[in-house]
Amino acid sequence: DSGVTQTPKHLITATGQRVTLRCSPRSGDLSVYWYQQSLDQGLQFLIQYYNGEERAKGNILERFSAQQFPDLHSELNLSSLELGDSALYFCASSPRPVTDTQYFGPGTRLTVL
Amino acid sequence: AQSVTQLGSHVSVSEGALVLLRCNYSSSVPPYLFWYVQYPNQGLQLLLKYTSAATLVKGINGFEAEFKKSETSFHLTKPSAHMSDAAEYFCAVSTQGAQKLVFGQGTRLTINP
């Protein structure tokens, strides 16, 4: 158990819908990262927040957005969902904003029908 | 930009045999290198990491990896495979000051009894 929690574990929804994935980092970690794991793209970095501020952006679609709240939990919002958005979404956390070991949550499996 | 290539998407070994999973990286600056393991339906767990200290890195579960700058490699080894080692293994690269991990495509390790 890494100490990073993600909810829900599974999510099934329809195309065009909007969903919110939630992540609670390890106690004391200020940095949160979001990754997408799909069969065709592999594991890809989406976005990072550090202490409430966006720190780095990767291959995140405009339909996706994220935020980190004052209690340091983070939410990833996915809208206008397409079949290709079906994937495992991982959250990771680390104490500092750069080059630290990232501890991964169990992931949320999103299925878009 | 950094990149990682894992040679062999599937590796199969017998129980008790040597495990060798190959990882080559590309980085224009000194890299930080990681191996993560993903068991079925679980998140990623850190096996070991190299951050410019000793080139031979020992990790959990009897795994180790050696950083070879001249070969730009960071191969993962374990002297004797156990059935519980069956999982997917990911090599990842980062750099000092970087915010994200760049992952390879993963290697699925199968252990034959």
Side-chain angles (χ1 to χ4, degrees):
Chain A
D1 184 356
S2 66
V4 178
T5 60
Q6 289 186 248
T7 56
K9 194 164 185 172
H10 301 278
L11 200 48
I12 301 174
T13 188
T15 54
Q17 294 299 304
R18 173 189 169 96
V19 297
T20 297
L21 313 183
R22 182 187 169 106
C23 167
S24 293
R26 293 186 324 154
S27 177
D29 284 358
L30 299 178
S31 195
V32 169
Y33 310 77
W34 286 98
Y35 290 85
Q36 180 194 57
Q37 184 180 32
S38 62
L39 281 175
D40 52 345
Q41 298 289 330
L43 262 164
Q44 289 203 89
F45 168 74
L46 295 178
I47 197 164
Q48 179 204 8
Y49 278 81
Y50 175 71
N51 205 19
E53 300 290 325
E54 183 183 302
R55 182 83 180 193
K57 233 173 183 176
N59 301 324
I60 188 166
L61 299 171
E62 283 192 14
R63 301 183 285 108
F64 296 2
S65 65
Q67 58 185 133
Q68 186 179 27
F69 295 86
D71 68 353
L72 301 176
H73 90 272
S74 177
E75 293 181 356
L76 179 67
N77 300 296
L78 316 176
S79 61
S80 303
L81 285 167
E82 302 174 359
L83 296 177
D85 297 328
S86 296
L88 254 175
Y89 291 85
F90 287 109
C91 168
S93 74
S94 68
R96 296 171 299 176
V98 294
T99 326
D100 228 336
T101 298
Q102 294 179 26
Y103 296 90
F104 282 75
T108 292
R109 182 171 294 281
L110 173 65
T111 302
V112 182
L113 301 175
Chain B
Q2 297 84 41
S3 67
V4 172
T5 301
Q6 291 184 240
L7 300 174
S9 57
H10 289 89
V11 170
S12 183
V13 302
S14 298
E15 191 174 17
L18 171 73
V19 174
L20 170 60
L21 304 182
R22 299 176 189 275
C23 171
N24 287 88
Y25 69 91
S26 172
S27 178
S28 56
V29 297
Y32 287 11
L33 293 159
F34 304 80
W35 275 100
Y36 282 87
V37 60
Q38 185 179 27
Y39 297 103
N41 301 313
Q42 293 188 29
L44 284 80
Q45 179 183 4
L46 180 70
L47 274 178
L48 48 80
K49 65 178 180 181
Y50 166 78
T51 56
S52 76
T55 56
L56 182 62
V57 182
K58 293 189 184 299
I60 62 171
N61 302 338
F63 284 94
E64 63 181 38
E66 187 172 9
F67 171 69
K68 291 188 177 180
K69 184 178 176 181
S70 60
E71 299 177 8
T72 61
S73 70
F74 190 57
H75 301 332
L76 182 71
T77 60
K78 181 174 180 177
S80 177
H82 191 273
M83 296 298 291
S84 61
D85 295 326
E88 185 134 22
Y89 292 79
F90 292 91
C91 182
V93 65
S94 182
T95 59
Q96 187 175 18
Q99 284 85 22
K100 67 176 184 181
L101 291 170
V102 175
F103 285 90
Q105 285 297 104
T107 297
R108 185 169 299 277
L109 176 64
T110 302
I111 311 296
N112 302 313

